[in-house]
Amino acid sequence: MSAHRNWAGNVRYAARAYHRPSSMDELRELVAGSDRIRAVGSGHSFNRLGDTTGDLVTLAGLPATVRLDEERRTVDVPAAMRYGDLATWLHERGYALANLASLPHISVAGAVATGTHGSGNAVGNLATAVAGLELVTAAGELLTVDRDADDFAGMVVSFGALGIVTRLTLDVVPTFDVRQYVCLDLPRSALDAAFGSAYSVSVFTDWRSTRGTQVWRKQLAEQAAPPADWLGTTPADRPWHPVPGMPVVNCTEQLGVAGPWHERLPHFRLGFTPSSGDELQSEYHLPRAVAADALAALDEVAHLIAPVAQTSELRTIAADELWLSPNHGRDSLAVHFTWIADASAVLPVVAEVERALAPFAPRPHWGKVFTLAPHAIAATYPRWPEFTALLHHLDPKGKFRTEDLDHLFPR
C-alpha cells in the first residue's frame, strides 16, 4: 500500500492531509480539531468505505506495547499491529488466537472493523475474539468499553464509524499445532462433509464445473491424516497455490507437515505476496441452511464468473451476536471471489452474482467490492436500527463519516 492508495491500487484516497501521530495526546488533539477524519490500517479494503475527503491518519506511529494477561487469557494490542506479528509474539509465549484470516498481513483493527473472516464450522470470525476496545471519540476523548457494556456488540464491527480504535483486547487460547493437506477435485455433493472434516477448511473452485478444484484442510496435528480416497478426491503430491500460476513459495506449508497454528491457518506467508497481488475481491456471506440452493443459483451465472475470476473460495464461519458482523445470528457459508484487476469487466459480473444471490439474504464483506443497495443489506441485519441510533449518538456531526457510510446510513 502506498500513502495515497489501498493495497490493491484500485482506490486512490481523497484525503486532504495525511497524519502519523506519535502519541495518544497528539491523536486526540488531531481528532478533536478535525471536521472529517478516518484511520487507515493495512489498506486491504477494496472499496471506499474507509475513504475520506478530510484527514487520514495512520496509527503505526503510536506506542506498540503488547500486554498479555495470562489470568484472564487475553492480550491487549495496538490497533495498527498486523496479525502475523501478533501471532508470532503470542506463539513465543505459549498462546494463540482461535482463528486467523487467509493472509496475516492485515491490521488487527481493520480486520475486526470489517468483520473479516477466518474459517471453520465451529469458529467465529476474527471480531468474535474481541473482549474490549479503546477508541478516541469525536470530541477527542478516550473511551474504553468491554463485553459488559450495553452497546459493545454494536461497537466491534463498525468500520471506523464510531471513533478511531487505538487498542483492542483479544481472547487467547493455548498454542497448538496444525497439519495442512490439499486435496483435489472435490464433488459438490461432498461439500458439507469436507467443511466438517477439520479445524478450518477452504474449498476453491474456478466455476468451470461444480467440483472444487482444491480443498485446503487445516487440521489439528493430532488428527489422523485423510485417507488417499478421501471424499472421492485425489491427494496433492506437491504444494499448491489457490491462484493458478502463482508461486507456491508464497503459501503456507502443506503435505501434512505439522507446524504452529500461525504458520498453517493462513493460506499465505507473512513475508510474501498474498493472493495474486493484482486483483479485486468480493465476498458474500449466506445462511448455511440455504448453501446448496445458493450455489446452484451461482451455477446459473458461472459462465459469466469464470472469465473474470482468478479463483473463488468457499468457507464456513460460526454464528455470532455482533450487530453488523456478516455472521450475526447465523452459521454462514462465505463465497469469496478473487477477480481480475479490471473493474469495468468485473462490476457487471458482481451485479449478476448479487442478483443470483438475492433470494438468499446475502451479506457482503464490508471491505470488498459490492453493489447491493443499502435497503437490501439492512434487511438482513436485525440490529441495523440499533446501530444507526448508536452511530448518531457517538458521532452526531458525522466526523467519522464517509460518502459510502452516508449512503448506507443516511443522516
Side-chain angles (χ1 to χ4, degrees), residues 182 235-241 248 254-255:
V182 175
D237 59 1
R238 61 174 176 83
W240 283 70
H241 193 292
V248 297
Q254 302 161 32
L255 300 175

Side-chain angles (χ1 to χ4, degrees), residues 38-286:
R38 294 285 296 184
V40 63
S42 57
H44 203 266
S45 175
F46 293 81
N47 61 44
R48 293 189 173 276
L49 197 61
D51 193 17
T52 180
T53 55
D55 297 299
L56 201 62
V57 57
T58 174
L59 306 185
L62 296 182
T65 308
V66 181
R67 298 185 288 265
L68 178 67
D69 188 328
E70 295 190 81
E71 182 178 347
R72 290 185 171 86
R73 290 283 182 93
T74 60
V75 63
D76 184 67
V77 304
M81 192 170 198
R82 296 187 303 175
Y83 269 98
D85 298 322
L86 172 60
T88 301
W89 190 94
L90 283 173
H91 178 68
E92 289 172 350
R93 290 157 179 80
Y95 289 93
L97 301 171
N99 211 348
L100 286 174
S102 58
L103 62 159
H105 309 65
I106 52 180
S107 68
V108 175
V112 165
T114 52
T116 293
H117 45 72
S119 64
N121 278 1
V123 186
N125 68 42
L126 300 180
T128 61
V130 177
L133 293 170
E134 176 189 273
L135 67 158
V136 177
T137 67
E141 298 171 349
L142 199 60
L143 175 64
T144 302
V145 294
D146 60 26
R147 285 191 177 120
D148 293 330
D150 290 341
D151 295 328
F152 179 77
M155 299 180 71
V156 180
V157 179
S158 59
F159 17 86
L162 305 179
I164 293 185
V165 174
T166 54
R167 299 191 68 85
L168 303 94
T169 302
L170 307 176
D171 297 327
V172 297
V173 298
T175 193
F176 56 98
D177 285 348
V178 173
R179 298 181 191 273
Q180 180 166 231
Y181 295 90
V182 175
C183 300
L184 311 176
D185 204 24
L186 178 79
R188 173 75 66 79
S189 59
L191 197 60
D192 270 348
F195 285 136
S197 70
Y199 189 85
S200 175
V201 176
S202 292
V203 177
F204 292 91
T205 180
D206 57 12
W207 294 103
R208 288 174 171 82
S209 79
T210 59
R211 301 178 78 89
T213 55
Q214 302 175 36
V215 183
W216 289 45
R217 298 181 64 259
K218 302 166 189 286
Q219 65 178 57
L220 299 179
E222 59 269 23
Q223 183 180 350
D229 60 349
W230 178 75
L231 297 180
T233 63
T234 301
D237 59 1
R238 61 174 176 83
W240 283 70
H241 193 292
V243 179
M246 293 300 297
V248 297
V249 69
N250 295 5
C251 296
T252 49
E253 192 159 3
Q254 302 161 32
L255 300 175
V257 178
W261 59 284
H262 65 290
E263 295 179 358
R264 299 294 184 275
L265 292 181
H267 299 332
F268 307 106
R269 295 162 132 186
L270 183 60
F272 295 81
T273 300
S275 195
S276 75
D278 188 17
E279 66 202 66
L280 299 173
Q281 293 183 11
S282 299
E283 182 170 287
Y284 301 92
H285 294 240
L286 308 158

